[in-house]
Amino acid sequence: MVRAMDKKQKNIKVGIIVSNKMEKSVVVKVDRYVLHPVYKKFVRKTKKFMAHDENNSCNIGDRVKIVESRPLSRRKRWVVTEIIEKAK
């Protein structure tokens, strides 16, 4: 029997697709805002994640939600769960 505290909630991030040139893979750019410790100003930090896109349905500029998963390849540890907004 698994207790509620034993189960870890999966990490979820929202970002924008920057590359979809691979088969069933996309690169997602995730921005976050962090308060600078000295200057007390919010600074934008960006990180890119490779994510699995099973149906090749994502295009560059789409806003997507990605969820952490088991390692799928050397660099892929995320899966695209939904397309929030299509690119114009």
Side-chain angles (χ1 to χ4, degrees), residues 52-79:
H52 185 69
D53 178 22
E54 184 61 40
N55 304 324
N56 281 331
S57 56
C58 296
N59 291 318
I60 295 176
D62 291 353
R63 182 180 219 80
V64 294
K65 184 185 289 187
I66 57 175
V67 175
E68 204 170 19
S69 71
R70 66 181 176 82
L72 299 168
S73 70
R74 187 177 130 208
R75 293 179 58 209
K76 274 201 308 193
R77 274 108 172 97
W78 298 83
V79 176

Side-chain angles (χ1 to χ4, degrees), residues 32-37 39-45:
R32 63 191 184 98
Y33 292 92
V34 181
L35 187 65
H36 193 281
Y39 300 116
K40 306 298 183 211
K41 181 177 179 179
F42 282 99
V43 182
R44 182 189 317 160
K45 296 212 172 200

